[in-house]
Amino acid sequence: MSDSRPPVLDEVDRQLIAALQINARESVAMLARQLGIARTTVTSRLARLEKARVITGYGVRLGQRVIDGGLQAYVGIKVQPRSGKEVLRRLSGMAQVQQLCAVSGEFDYVAWLRTESPEQLDQLLDQIGSVDGVEKTTTSIILSSKIDRGHAL
């Protein structure tokens, strides 16, 4: 049986995570200098944070100019009772669905979509709406990003 409690993070862990959120490609040596700790300490803490799944990966964030080349939208999705697994399975096969979150409130899921054009968004919304179990969708197109701290969800 695994321990389901969240790992305890001390101030050094928090500072290390904050530094990586600014630049996930920062070298261990530079992180050690910034935090005033040994490189071996940084390496062991990173390994521990990865093993505990506090850090689940390192990625690429696209610049606004690249993102602006397409269209992004959030879609609230209401599903019929006991249809969640099938809806999740079908949406996971749609490459334009960047993120899908289970939420409380009016909707069961909120999806973040990225498409190349309004026409492609329209087609994708038709696909999502035709999934068995989807009862209702509400779409909000992202006009601009005012604050972006990495990955909010």
Side-chain angles (χ1 to χ4, degrees), residues 27-40 42:
S27 71
V28 170
M30 182 57 77
L31 290 167
R33 278 194 290 280
Q34 288 175 0
L35 300 176
I37 58 178
R39 286 182 298 184
T40 55
V42 171

Side-chain angles (χ1 to χ4, degrees), residues 75-78 100-111 153:
V75 178
I77 303 168
K78 185 172 177 64
L100 182 69
C101 299
V103 296
S104 63
E106 179 182 355
F107 298 102
D108 299 297
Y109 296 115
V110 172
L153 302 173

Side-chain angles (χ1 to χ4, degrees), residues 8 30-31 36 39-40 46 55 60 62 73 80 84 97 105 125 140 146-147:
V8 177
M30 182 57 77
L31 290 167
R39 286 182 298 184
T40 55
L46 286 173
I55 297 174
V60 173
L62 298 175
Q80 296 169 348
V97 176
L125 293 172
S140 296
K146 302 298 185 188
I147 298 173

